[in-house]
Amino acid sequence: MYGRLVQEGGYQILNSLKNGPVKISQLKANVPLYGDAFDFVLSQLMMNGLVRRFERDGEDYVEISEMGRNLPYQGYEAYQGYGYHGCGHHHHHGHWW
């Protein structure tokens, strides 16, 4: 369940950030994830090093990290190997990290 949420929500967030940094409040309004689901997916992307959060003029922003820019996430399938869902149900054996 969480793997699918991270997979689809993560792709939507990464796609929204492809043109540069975005205010978190604006990102929440543009990505169809709500409440805790948005926070969960964003934290998974940060934990995996794909996005970074920073503050500018009292506002919280996020942007794709260097590692995230080098990830070929243009297609839905390219994002499947990252995050919580990267093991178990996809014939991977081992830990999610």
Side-chain angles (χ1 to χ4, degrees), residues 30-52:
N30 293 333
V31 174
L33 291 170
Y34 305 100
D36 291 338
F38 177 87
D39 296 337
F40 177 75
V41 172
L42 186 59
S43 69
Q44 290 297 307
L45 291 172
M46 287 189 289
M47 281 182 16
N48 284 294
L50 301 178
V51 300
R52 72 175 196 94

Side-chain angles (χ1 to χ4, degrees), residues 6 14 40 44 58-59 83-84:
V6 172
L14 289 172
F40 177 75
Q44 290 297 307
E59 292 276 352
Y84 238 42

Side-chain angles (χ1 to χ4, degrees), residues 43-74:
S43 69
Q44 290 297 307
L45 291 172
M46 287 189 289
M47 281 182 16
N48 284 294
L50 301 178
V51 300
R52 72 175 196 94
R53 183 192 150 280
F54 64 96
E55 188 176 320
R56 180 188 304 158
D57 299 326
E59 292 276 352
D60 288 328
Y61 285 78
V62 288
E63 68 180 352
I64 297 176
S65 67
E66 187 67 34
M67 185 168 116
R69 280 191 287 276
N70 291 318
L71 176 70
Y73 64 88
Q74 291 84 8

